[in-house]
Amino acid sequence: MARHVVAAVGDIKPGEKKLVTVKGREIGVFNVNGEFFALANRCPHAGGPMCEGYIVPLVAPGKPGEYKLTRNNEFIRCPWHGWEFEIRTGQSWCDPKDLKIRQFKVAVEPGQELVKGPYVAETFQVTVEADYVVIDL
Amino acid sequence: MNAPVLEKSLQQRLAIVDCDIHPDQKSPATLAAYMPERWREHAKTFGLRSRQGLVGQLTHPRMMANGRRADSFPPDGSPAGSDLGFMRKQHLDPNGVEVGMLVALGRNGMEEQNQDFATVLARAVNDWQIEEWVKPEPRLRAGIIVTQENPQEAVAEIERCAPNSSFRQVIISPRTTEPLGRRRYWPIFEAAERAGLPIGLHPAGASGGFPSTGSGWPTYYLQEHYSFETGMQGVLASLVFEGVFERFPKLRVCFIESGFTWVPAVCWRMDKHWERMRKEVPHLTRPPSEYVREHFWFATQPIEEPEHPHHLADMIGWIGWDRLVFSTDYPHWDFDDPRYTFKINLTERQRAMIFRENAKALYGLQ
């Protein structure tokens, strides 16, 4: 297990995502309203590159003909078959019991702590002034 | 831990025949290069006039990226499926495509109302497939697009193209002006049989101007997509009951992107009624299901996903393990990845048949 610095906090704004590679694994890092989550870039339904999909709100049920958009930026929709997953839990909306995207432990840590090491940051200059998104893997 | 990894890598190494790849043109101008000046002018002045009310758009808005995989657009932003290099990199190479069958939907002779223009469009799209896809990429094979509503020209186009062995099937719209088994279409079947080429039927965006369901236009794309299956049931019954296979005993038909688990149920029902009412169709000498078993093939995508995956094996058994051919539908949104398509364990033999051998036998692939 090592701490991998994958982005500066300011690099991924709320509602945005970033695809990173940690130990050869493709991982999508998401900012959901200020909280960070990390999900494997592989859709558990049929193998699609999950994190290349769209970040979407949930279209909630209403009466027929009524559309309600809720929970903005909380779901990712696979670019292939459109399966929706809750970014926070990795759970599928249609089949929450059986389908879940693999999650990785992610945290925000201040540069001040990180520079003491040890950490892995291949593409970053870690400075004491900023906060960073860190994946443990 | 090691065993599944090994199995997966074996699957990946298995070369596949993909029976449904959709190439697209970079722009409408792409096909102009394959048309005489008179029709280039026509295309510029009038554009296409497809067999539906809405020109330049689909009958139903697609839920995603205009019906494409959201990741399938080449880096320069050109249409999905229009860049051979990107197709190689995203699909042909990583998915082990040994042979890919092109199904050129969109701008072509099948859906154009102006029949003279349709003939020119069909020729153009056929020449374009050879020049810009098959010649630079020998893994690909073309399908002869013809104007099914103008059988005389369709036959001429089959005869023009068939000597080139890169064309491995004849493609027409299954949503014809009359049900496909009617005699006005028989010259096409005769020409295809003579050329030894199967007929490939793929539901297209337009539907000949008819509603895509028997009870009118569906509201949602969800319904429209489902109508691929019910529409094809009508096509299958028409081909069988009109006696097409009595008249053309060597004709072979492949249903592409039309589902397949419905086939046994339709066959059971047709047989049951034939036993009671066969006098109405004395030209049929055998139960309807036997024509289906002998003359039809089915492409797998979009794979059916029963609640208990093992039921899929039963259903394939009822149709025939030799009658399913693998397809991805690249680059469309409902693409099936060959590694994850089957959620059941296939035997090595079954896998080889569905992913490769059945298609090679059907299309005479070397």
Side-chain angles (χ1 to χ4, degrees), chain B residues 35-97:
Chain B
M35 293 178 202
E37 181 59 30
R38 180 251 181 277
W39 290 106
R40 249 180 267 171
E41 273 303 311
H42 177 95
K44 226 188 295 173
T45 312
F46 299 100
L48 303 185
R49 179 73 183 89
S50 68
R51 297 186 303 136
Q52 55 145 339
L54 307 164
V55 176
Q57 61 173 308
L58 295 160
T59 53
H60 293 78
R62 305 308 196 230
M63 50 157 248
M64 163 112 68
N66 201 27
R68 269 61 177 183
R69 259 172 60 168
D71 63 343
S72 67
F73 292 79
D76 66 359
S78 54
S82 70
D83 185 307
L84 176 58
F86 190 71
M87 182 188 285
R88 280 191 188 118
K89 192 171 142 233
Q90 187 173 54
H91 179 43
L92 302 181
D93 295 344
N95 290 326
V97 177

Side-chain angles (χ1 to χ4, degrees), chain A:
Chain A
M1 188 83 84
R3 292 191 299 171
H4 301 263
V5 181
V6 293
V9 160
D11 291 348
I12 310 173
K13 306 252 175 336
E16 290 183 355
K17 59 183 157 57
K18 182 184 180 188
L19 188 61
V20 301
T21 303
V22 177
K23 281 189 175 170
R25 292 168 203 266
E26 289 191 351
I27 296 174
V29 183
F30 299 81
N31 180 338
V32 179
N33 306 326
E35 272 184 279
F36 286 88
F37 300 94
L39 300 171
N41 187 31
R42 181 182 173 279
C43 179
H45 163 244
M50 195 71 234
C51 304
E52 291 179 45
Y54 303 109
I55 293 173
V56 294
L58 191 67
V59 180
K63 288 181 290 201
E66 209 178 78
Y67 295 81
K68 274 191 288 191
L69 294 185
T70 62
R71 304 180 61 186
N72 203 23
N73 295 336
E74 292 186 29
F75 286 80
I76 175 85
R77 198 170 69 167
C78 178
W80 288 6
H81 305 101
W83 280 65
E84 295 156 303
F85 295 84
E86 190 183 41
I87 295 169
R88 188 176 297 277
T89 60
Q91 274 182 336
S92 153
W93 178 254
C94 286
D95 192 1
K97 198 162 52 100
D98 294 326
L99 282 188
K100 198 172 171 180
I101 316 177
R102 173 152 185 213
Q103 288 181 294
F104 296 91
K105 217 175 140 200
V106 65
V108 172
E109 291 186 24
Q112 219 163 1
E113 286 300 309
L114 283 170
V115 289
K116 295 177 194 159
Y119 66 92
V120 186
E122 278 156 18
T123 50
F124 285 94
Q125 190 68 41
V126 175
T127 64
V128 290
E129 290 83 17
D131 290 341
Y132 295 89
V133 184
V134 177
I135 290 179
D136 278 337
L137 190 67

Side-chain angles (χ1 to χ4, degrees), chain B residues 7 10 14 345-354 357:
Chain B
E7 164 68 5
L10 271 176
L14 180 78
N345 288 322
L346 302 175
T347 66
E348 220 166 286
R349 180 89 203 97
Q350 289 166 342
R351 182 171 290 280
M353 287 170 84
I354 289 179
E357 291 173 14

